[in-house]
Tab-separated table of all heavy atoms in Angstrom:
chain	number	residue	atom	x	y	z
A	1487	VAL	N	-1.604	101.514	-22.357
A	1487	VAL	CA	-1.554	100.949	-21.018
A	1487	VAL	C	-1.310	102.096	-20.065
A	1487	VAL	O	-0.517	102.981	-20.330
A	1487	VAL	CB	-0.407	99.922	-20.911
A	1487	VAL	CG1	-0.261	99.372	-19.518
A	1487	VAL	CG2	-0.552	98.822	-21.930
A	1488	ASP	N	-1.966	101.950	-18.943
A	1488	ASP	CA	-1.781	102.967	-17.932
A	1488	ASP	C	-0.419	102.733	-17.314
A	1488	ASP	O	-0.125	101.675	-16.789
A	1488	ASP	CB	-2.886	102.840	-16.875
A	1488	ASP	CG	-2.834	103.964	-15.867
A	1488	ASP	OD1	-1.855	104.716	-15.885
A	1488	ASP	OD2	-3.760	104.008	-15.053
A	1495	GLN	N	2.568	96.981	-11.231
A	1495	GLN	CA	2.599	95.536	-11.488
A	1495	GLN	C	4.037	95.054	-11.683
A	1495	GLN	O	4.404	93.990	-11.235
A	1495	GLN	CB	1.728	95.184	-12.691
A	1495	GLN	CG	0.258	95.243	-12.338
A	1495	GLN	CD	-0.625	94.775	-13.475
A	1495	GLN	OE1	-0.149	94.435	-14.560
A	1495	GLN	NE2	-1.916	94.771	-13.211
A	1500	ARG	N	8.520	92.238	-9.608
A	1500	ARG	CA	9.910	92.277	-9.180
A	1500	ARG	C	10.024	91.854	-7.720
A	1500	ARG	O	10.917	91.119	-7.349
A	1500	ARG	CB	10.467	93.701	-9.355
A	1500	ARG	CG	11.944	93.785	-9.119
A	1500	ARG	CD	12.492	95.164	-9.466
A	1500	ARG	NE	11.589	96.262	-9.240
A	1500	ARG	CZ	11.661	97.140	-8.250
A	1500	ARG	NH1	12.614	97.073	-7.390
A	1500	ARG	NH2	10.804	98.099	-8.127
A	1523	GLU	N	10.542	59.342	-2.652
A	1523	GLU	CA	9.727	58.546	-1.737
A	1523	GLU	C	8.863	57.538	-2.513
A	1523	GLU	O	8.738	56.381	-2.122
A	1523	GLU	CB	8.828	59.448	-0.874
A	1523	GLU	CG	9.583	60.182	0.208
A	1523	GLU	CD	8.683	61.134	0.996
A	1523	GLU	OE1	7.445	61.027	0.878
A	1523	GLU	OE2	9.211	61.964	1.738
A	1526	GLU	N	11.087	54.843	-3.750
A	1526	GLU	CA	11.427	53.941	-2.652
A	1526	GLU	C	10.230	53.067	-2.280
A	1526	GLU	O	10.367	51.855	-2.084
A	1526	GLU	CB	11.892	54.734	-1.421
A	1526	GLU	CG	13.279	55.307	-1.554
A	1526	GLU	CD	13.672	56.145	-0.330
A	1526	GLU	OE1	13.004	56.010	0.724
A	1526	GLU	OE2	14.633	56.907	-0.436
A	1527	TYR	N	9.068	53.687	-2.196
A	1527	TYR	CA	7.850	52.942	-1.863
A	1527	TYR	C	7.552	51.896	-2.946
A	1527	TYR	O	7.229	50.755	-2.644
A	1527	TYR	CB	6.669	53.913	-1.699
A	1527	TYR	CG	5.392	53.235	-1.307
A	1527	TYR	CD1	5.220	52.662	-0.037
A	1527	TYR	CD2	4.327	53.157	-2.203
A	1527	TYR	CE1	4.043	52.032	0.310
A	1527	TYR	CE2	3.145	52.523	-1.863
A	1527	TYR	CZ	3.004	51.972	-0.610
A	1527	TYR	OH	1.828	51.351	-0.271
A	1538	LYS	N	6.922	37.796	-1.682
A	1538	LYS	CA	5.672	37.035	-1.608
A	1538	LYS	C	5.635	35.983	-2.714
A	1538	LYS	O	5.241	34.837	-2.482
A	1538	LYS	CB	4.475	37.984	-1.718
A	1538	LYS	CG	3.151	37.333	-1.520
A	1538	LYS	CD	2.997	36.878	-0.081
A	1538	LYS	CE	1.579	36.326	0.126
A	1538	LYS	NZ	1.406	35.803	1.453
A	1541	GLN	N	7.900	33.243	-1.783
A	1541	GLN	CA	7.274	32.449	-0.725
A	1541	GLN	C	6.204	31.531	-1.313
A	1541	GLN	O	6.150	30.340	-0.988
A	1541	GLN	CB	6.646	33.361	0.325
A	1541	GLN	CG	5.955	32.608	1.445
A	1541	GLN	CD	5.231	33.547	2.395
A	1541	GLN	OE1	5.265	34.764	2.234
A	1541	GLN	NE2	4.564	32.980	3.386
A	1567	CYS	N	2.412	-4.115	-0.071
A	1567	CYS	CA	1.183	-4.880	0.199
A	1567	CYS	C	0.999	-5.982	-0.837
A	1567	CYS	O	0.651	-7.114	-0.491
A	1567	CYS	CB	-0.035	-3.954	0.211
A	1567	CYS	SG	-0.164	-2.926	1.685
A	1577	GLU	N	2.680	-18.913	0.268
A	1577	GLU	CA	2.767	-19.703	1.493
A	1577	GLU	C	1.526	-20.579	1.662
A	1577	GLU	O	1.626	-21.764	2.016
A	1577	GLU	CB	2.912	-18.765	2.695
A	1577	GLU	CG	3.303	-19.454	3.968
A	1577	GLU	CD	3.602	-18.473	5.086
A	1577	GLU	OE1	4.210	-17.427	4.822
A	1577	GLU	OE2	3.204	-18.773	6.219
A	1587	GLN	N	-0.204	-33.588	0.317
A	1587	GLN	CA	0.790	-34.662	0.311
A	1587	GLN	C	0.682	-35.488	1.592
A	1587	GLN	O	0.710	-36.720	1.551
A	1587	GLN	CB	2.193	-34.063	0.165
A	1587	GLN	CG	3.272	-35.078	-0.069
A	1587	GLN	CD	4.619	-34.402	-0.320
A	1587	GLN	OE1	4.776	-33.210	-0.105
A	1587	GLN	NE2	5.588	-35.175	-0.775
A	1598	ALA	N	-2.438	-49.362	3.602
A	1598	ALA	CA	-1.444	-50.401	3.898
A	1598	ALA	C	-1.770	-51.085	5.222
A	1598	ALA	O	-1.696	-52.323	5.329
A	1598	ALA	CB	-0.045	-49.799	3.930
A	1616	GLU	N	-7.720	-74.144	10.233
A	1616	GLU	CA	-6.809	-75.281	10.177
A	1616	GLU	C	-6.872	-76.072	11.477
A	1616	GLU	O	-6.894	-77.315	11.473
A	1616	GLU	CB	-5.383	-74.779	9.916
A	1616	GLU	CG	-4.383	-75.889	9.738
A	1616	GLU	CD	-2.964	-75.346	9.518
A	1616	GLU	OE1	-2.780	-74.101	9.461
A	1616	GLU	OE2	-2.049	-76.178	9.403
A	1627	ARG	N	-11.304	-89.450	13.040
A	1627	ARG	CA	-10.492	-90.637	13.220
A	1627	ARG	C	-10.940	-91.383	14.487
A	1627	ARG	O	-11.073	-92.617	14.491
A	1627	ARG	CB	-9.029	-90.239	13.344
A	1627	ARG	CG	-8.116	-91.320	12.922
A	1627	ARG	CD	-6.677	-90.858	12.856
A	1627	ARG	NE	-6.578	-89.436	12.498
A	1627	ARG	CZ	-5.824	-88.540	13.096
A	1627	ARG	NH1	-5.001	-88.874	14.033
A	1627	ARG	NH2	-5.849	-87.287	12.769
Side-chain angles (χ1 to χ4, degrees):
V1487 176
D1488 186 350
Q1495 285 185 358
R1500 188 173 32 106
E1523 286 177 14
E1526 286 177 17
Y1527 182 69
K1538 186 68 175 176
Q1541 179 185 359
C1567 286
E1577 192 173 321
Q1587 189 175 12
E1616 184 182 358
R1627 206 172 329 133

